[in-house]
Amino acid sequence: MSKHHAGTSKFLSFVLRHQPDAIGITLDVEGWASIPELIAAAANNGKLLDRDLIQAVVTISDKKRFAISEDGLRIRAVQGHSIETVDISYAEKVPPEFLYHGTATRFMQSIRNGGLLPGSRQYVHLSHDEQTALTVGQRHGKPIVLKIKARHMYEQGFKFFQAENGVWLVELVPAAFMIE
Ligand code: HQG
């Protein structure tokens, strides 16, 4: 991905997950933004976007962070939101026996005490493979991968969801379900 694409991806993550009001757009409850409105609002805020650039970023995003609606008129981030007015109706799914969460060793004491919490986001993010979790953990410092007894949690009544890009979402993970 070029620097231009990476910068656009970061910009889209910022407005479509966290702060649409920073450029004066709104997202609907499913997280969708109108693409023409997004292009106009971005331009008013000094960020030049066009349909081809948006489409290119959506297509080449390594993690498939964004989706364009079937009619081609709207775009949304598929997970990772902090904005409270967005409440995407994710598909509830039965998780595999284990899922993984990558974090940094410096958070472990707090995680052992309080479990995994969503922090500023709406959900705790889990992945089905250890390598992805390791990469996520590295973003925060010296990484550690926690193995989560996901099926066991599910059997105890915890709801699991899967975003379009495969990321697993759960509201919290009590420490009792984590294996270090
Ligand atoms: C930690 C990226 C202290 C948690 C990735 C994590 C992911 C606690 C950090 C997505 C805690 C939050 C999300 C507790 C959890 N005490 N720390 N009780 N509970 N934490 O960035 O999971 O590139 O909000 O372990 O690929 O790192 O943006 O979450 O280290 O899918 O598309 O608090 O973001 O995707 O950090 O990453 P984040 P995350 P994108």
Side-chain angles (χ1 to χ4, degrees), residues 12-20 26-33 64-67 75-90 118-125 163-165 167 169:
L12 291 177
S13 287
F14 174 68
V15 298
L16 298 177
R17 286 172 170 175
H18 308 300
Q19 291 218 33
T26 54
L27 311 180
D28 74 10
V29 71
E30 289 287 333
W32 294 109
K64 301 278 166 230
R65 293 181 177 90
F66 311 104
I75 181 170
R76 72 174 174 185
V78 301
Q79 39 75 213
H81 300 79
S82 60
I83 174 169
E84 284 172 11
T85 55
V86 170
D87 185 14
I88 296 182
S89 47
Y90 289 112
S120 62
R121 302 191 200 245
Q122 293 178 340
Y123 296 95
V124 173
H125 291 213
E164 278 166 75
N165 62 352
V167 171
L169 306 168

Side-chain angles (χ1 to χ4, degrees), residues 9 13 17-18 61-66 79-80 101-104 106-121 123-127 132-133 135-137 139-140 144 146 165 167-169 173:
S9 178
S13 287
R17 286 172 170 175
H18 308 300
S61 163
D62 49 351
K63 293 182 182 165
K64 301 278 166 230
R65 293 181 177 90
F66 311 104
Q79 39 75 213
H101 178 87
T103 187
R106 66 194 163 95
F107 297 145
M108 279 312 297
Q109 191 159 354
S110 166
I111 290 172
R112 284 187 200 107
N113 290 334
L116 285 173
L117 301 172
S120 62
R121 302 191 200 245
Y123 296 95
V124 173
H125 291 213
L126 305 173
S127 56
T132 302
T135 311
V136 172
R139 292 158 55 243
H140 299 288
I144 174 170
L146 304 173
N165 62 352
V167 171
W168 286 87
L169 306 168
V173 179

